[in-house]
Amino acid sequence: MDFKELKREMLLGFFYIYTGSIFGTYVFCSLFYPDLTFSLSYFPWMALFSLAGDATLLVFYSKKVLTEKQFLFRTVIHFILLEIVLMTFAGLLQLYESTLEAVAFFFIVLLVYFMVKLLSFKSGSKEAEVINQRIQEINKKGEDY
């Protein structure tokens, strides 16, 4: 993935990750801290948390097009790196206190990861569909001449 494409993915990914982080917080707190309330300072911390998660996308940077095997390998590395970064960040922010909470947090990150991948895939599929439709229109115009 070249740098321009990576920047686009990171920008789009940030909003997916931020939304997923808010959703993940809701699930986590519903399980462990149902009476907890948040101040406005929660939102910039989640933005920073999301930015840290988004930065792990740099694993996909490459000047050459990645093969399917390389992409799959980097996806696995990305997930592991993402878990390490977010678990560490969450630990520093004291977002979990027990082993059970840490395990739940791990699985919530996994859930959000799949949500982000699904949303990114859908977005990419729509974009590919528009591009393919445009190519068909151009080819049809070429045939008419």
Side-chain angles (χ1 to χ4, degrees):
M1 175 179 308
D2 69 2
F3 192 68
K4 184 178 179 181
E5 187 179 348
L6 181 65
K7 282 193 314 187
R8 182 185 165 281
E9 283 296 314
M10 288 180 79
L11 181 62
L12 188 60
F14 172 78
F15 292 104
Y16 290 155
I17 293 166
Y18 187 78
T19 303
S21 296
I22 300 294
F23 171 75
T25 300
Y26 174 76
V27 171
F28 185 83
C29 290
S30 293
L31 294 172
F32 296 103
Y33 304 102
D35 297 329
L36 186 68
T37 58
F38 295 95
S39 67
L40 287 176
S41 67
Y42 164 80
F43 295 101
W45 278 111
M46 275 298 101
L48 189 59
F49 184 81
S50 301
L51 199 58
D54 199 27
T56 62
L57 280 173
L58 291 170
V59 165
F60 291 103
Y61 176 71
S62 175
K63 291 185 179 191
K64 298 183 283 183
V65 175
L66 299 174
T67 65
E68 188 175 330
K69 188 175 180 181
Q70 290 170 324
F71 183 78
L72 194 57
F73 178 74
R74 289 186 189 204
T75 300
V76 170
I77 295 299
H78 174 249
F79 174 71
I80 293 168
L81 182 61
L82 181 68
E83 283 285 3
I84 290 169
V85 167
L86 295 184
M87 293 292 292
T88 301
F89 200 94
L92 293 172
L93 292 174
Q94 299 176 338
L95 297 181
Y96 56 84
E97 297 175 3
S98 69
T99 303
L100 178 62
E101 289 177 6
V103 170
F105 188 87
F106 175 91
F107 283 107
I108 289 170
V109 170
L110 177 65
L111 175 68
V112 170
Y113 184 78
F114 282 123
M115 284 177 27
V116 169
K117 284 291 185 188
L118 180 64
L119 290 170
S120 295
F121 176 76
K122 283 187 152 195
S123 174
S125 295
K126 286 180 184 178
E127 191 175 309
E129 188 177 311
V130 169
I131 291 169
N132 286 335
Q133 188 175 13
R134 182 69 181 131
I135 290 170
Q136 287 175 353
E137 290 171 6
I138 291 170
N139 287 342
K140 184 161 174 52
K141 285 181 183 179
E143 290 173 4
D144 291 341
Y145 290 110

